[in-house]
Amino acid sequence: MSTQPHTAYIVDAVRTPRGIGKQGKGALAAEHPQHLAATVLKAIAERNGIDTKTVDDVIWSVSTQDGKQAGDMGRMAALDAGYDITSSGMTLDRFCGGGITSVNLAAAQVMSGMADCVVAGGTEMMSLTAQMAKDKMAAGIAPPMMGSYNERLQAKHPQSHQGVCGDAIASQEGFTREELDEVGYRSQQRAAQAIAEGRFDKSVVPVVDDEGNTILDKEEFPRPQTTMETLAQLEPAFPKLADVPLDKDGTTFRKLINQKYPDLDIQHFHHAGNSSGVVDGAAAVLIASKEYCDEHGLKPRAKIVATANMGDDPTLMLNAPVPAAKRVLERAGMTLDDIDLFEINEAFAVVAAKFVRDLDLDWDKVNVNGGAIALGHPIGATGSMLIGTMVDELERQGKKRGLVTMCAAGGMAPAIIVETV
């Protein structure tokens, strides 16, 4: 193995379809999360003829590392997928941003010369995590999203619920309900067109059971029948949650934000039709050096130009994608004009709307195949899915460079620029 710096190449990317993230309703909800991860790990090795003895590491993202999602899924799923026992694995948590970070860390290993072939990706079964949260609430253990509630930290950096933060940002930035509904409507329409035209077919692999029966082979969450009129009829999702007492002192999610922004009158704009969908899914990306590709007869599809991480205000939580995009462009020595396509995760409509407005982008270059509002957001997997979608779309359009970023809890955003080869 060379100790000289390498270019990190994306050889391939695969993902499962996204299944509705509700017990008893979603097609994937009865599966073990390791099975979803093993599905994409097996597919990416088989599609590319990889001898898994040559895989230096599996770097995996899981946000809720609890219950069936605990226990280093990167290693366990690789074993389940039939990888050689010499191929190690690890699991990380950067909340929603982990699926980008797993790829970025894999790229860093290859770029540094410390690895030649790494599989990165992520899994999240929100059907499980939602049920775990309900069970904990029923047992009086912790309110949703506040399992690590720390009074000392909250006094320094008050942190609220993501949905309430989305509403707070929309209120602060002056976005209207109609503007945010337009983001949701656009997402559904673009996703419907992408599915109809088979734009995801290159990357989506079916989930099958041990007998080979297909469990899910297509997207389960999109609602192509959505209209602006139906969106306008939906009730905001977070007014009641914003005022639920979190402790004996009567602390609420709203009060946590007003602790830092006392004059901010939080209005409620987000609902089920302009917020990301609750789904199950997994994705994998194969990263390798040029030497590895040449030795094993692999043809890279893209190279990783630059990566970055950015922190921002943890109280508003969702505002780091814009500074992350600026930082990764600076690292690459590029400007916005050098980027052909953008993927910004639609955690909430305001995140995408603010990203486009603040960077003065054209929506024709942003989330051209829809986003998490239409397709869903399997938290630990989404970033890896977006990277695969970006490579597919750059190839489809004959374009060169794409930038992918997303907000994450704690006020963070990873980012990556990829270039087709």
Side-chain angles (χ1 to χ4, degrees):
M1 179 167 56
S2 171
T3 57
Q4 296 299 313
H6 293 279
T7 298
Y9 288 98
I10 295 175
V11 178
D12 201 6
V14 301
R15 67 173 178 88
T16 67
R18 296 168 175 92
I20 293 172
K22 291 184 179 181
Q23 292 290 327
K25 188 174 182 180
L28 301 178
E31 299 304 306
H32 197 291
Q34 288 174 12
H35 181 64
L36 299 192
T39 294
V40 292
L41 283 168
K42 184 178 180 180
I44 208 160
E46 290 182 347
R47 278 173 40 145
N48 296 281
I50 300 297
D51 178 354
T52 57
K53 290 180 182 178
T54 67
V55 175
D56 293 305
D57 207 1
V58 174
I59 302 179
W60 217 248
S61 161
V62 179
S63 182
T64 302
Q65 295 178 28
D66 196 2
K68 292 180 179 180
Q69 293 200 155
D72 189 359
M73 197 183 300
R75 172 61 169 173
M76 297 303 123
L79 293 173
D80 192 18
Y83 277 45
D84 191 84
I85 59 172
T86 59
S87 179
S88 60
M90 64 164 286
T91 300
L92 61 88
D93 175 11
R94 198 193 289 275
F95 301 114
C96 297
I100 293 178
T101 294
S102 65
V103 173
N104 289 358
L105 290 179
Q109 284 288 92
V110 171
M111 288 173 174
S112 70
M114 294 297 103
D116 286 309
C117 176
V118 183
V119 182
T123 302
E124 205 80 36
M125 287 192 63
M126 298 183 74
S127 56
L128 285 178
T129 61
Q131 188 61 48
M132 285 190 286
K134 290 179 182 178
D135 292 344
K136 287 184 177 183
M137 279 288 287
I141 296 174
M145 313 305 299
M146 300 295 285
S148 60
Y149 188 86
N150 180 335
E151 291 183 0
R152 268 185 74 193
L153 177 58
Q154 291 288 20
K156 296 178 183 177
H157 297 291
Q159 296 176 59
S160 185
H161 182 278
Q162 293 102 313
V164 182
C165 290
D167 286 342
I169 294 168
S171 301
Q172 186 181 65
E173 297 287 336
F175 286 102
T176 66
R177 165 73 182 258
E178 184 177 11
E179 286 176 310
L180 301 184
D181 283 356
E182 285 175 357
V183 176
Y185 175 70
R186 183 185 297 111
S187 183
Q188 294 287 353
Q189 295 302 302
R190 290 182 171 184
Q193 181 178 1
I195 292 168
E197 295 180 1
R199 297 184 191 179
F200 301 139
D201 291 354
K202 182 183 288 188
S203 293
V204 173
V205 296
V207 181
V208 301
D209 62 20
D210 292 339
E211 287 71 46
N213 301 307
T214 299
I215 300 169
L216 185 66
D217 62 359
K218 61 184 178 181
E219 301 295 337
E220 196 174 33
F221 188 78
R223 291 156 291 194
Q225 72 277 14
T226 298
T227 66
M228 285 294 290
E229 289 72 27
T230 58
L231 290 174
Q233 295 169 13
L234 296 175
E235 292 294 323
F238 304 109
K240 291 182 180 179
L241 181 62
D243 295 314
V244 171
L246 303 173
D247 56 27
K248 58 182 175 56
D249 297 323
T251 303
T252 65
F253 289 125
R254 188 188 305 276
K255 287 180 180 178
L256 285 167
I257 295 175
N258 286 145
Q259 182 178 318
K260 185 167 183 179
Y261 298 93
D263 298 325
L264 179 56
D265 180 17
I266 302 172
Q267 303 297 307
H268 296 283
F269 301 91
H270 289 94
H271 50 75
N274 61 23
S275 304
S276 56
V278 176
V279 297
D280 301 329
V285 182
L286 178 59
I287 309 294
S289 66
K290 183 180 186 300
E291 292 81 0
Y292 183 93
C293 292
D294 290 345
E295 181 180 351
H296 296 274
L298 298 173
K299 184 178 180 181
R301 297 175 60 191
K303 68 178 181 179
I304 295 170
V305 177
T307 70
N309 296 296
M310 196 74 189
D312 200 83
D313 178 17
T315 300
L316 292 177
M317 194 183 298
L318 311 177
N319 281 339
V322 169
K326 291 178 179 178
R327 174 170 284 186
V328 78
L329 285 166
E330 182 180 359
R331 289 261 173 88
M334 295 178 179
T335 69
L336 289 167
D337 292 337
D338 295 311
I339 305 300
D340 298 302
L341 296 171
F342 297 83
E343 285 285 339
I344 169 66
N345 186 42
E346 296 169 352
F348 299 95
V350 73
V351 177
K354 189 175 188 300
F355 187 82
V356 170
R357 188 188 69 181
D358 288 4
L359 295 177
D360 193 24
L361 300 177
D362 188 329
W363 274 107
D364 288 342
K365 292 184 174 183
V366 181
N367 296 3
V368 297
N369 293 316
I373 292 173
L375 297 164
H377 176 23
I379 296 175
T382 303
S384 299
M385 289 182 170
L386 294 181
I387 292 168
T389 296
M390 176 61 79
V391 174
D392 286 348
E393 186 61 20
L394 287 170
E395 290 177 341
R396 189 186 76 83
Q397 291 195 29
K399 297 292 178 65
K400 190 172 185 181
R401 298 189 191 97
L403 189 156
V404 183
T405 187
M406 60 198 305
C407 60
M412 299 183 290
I416 184 171
I417 295 174
V418 300
E419 180 176 306
T420 54
V421 295

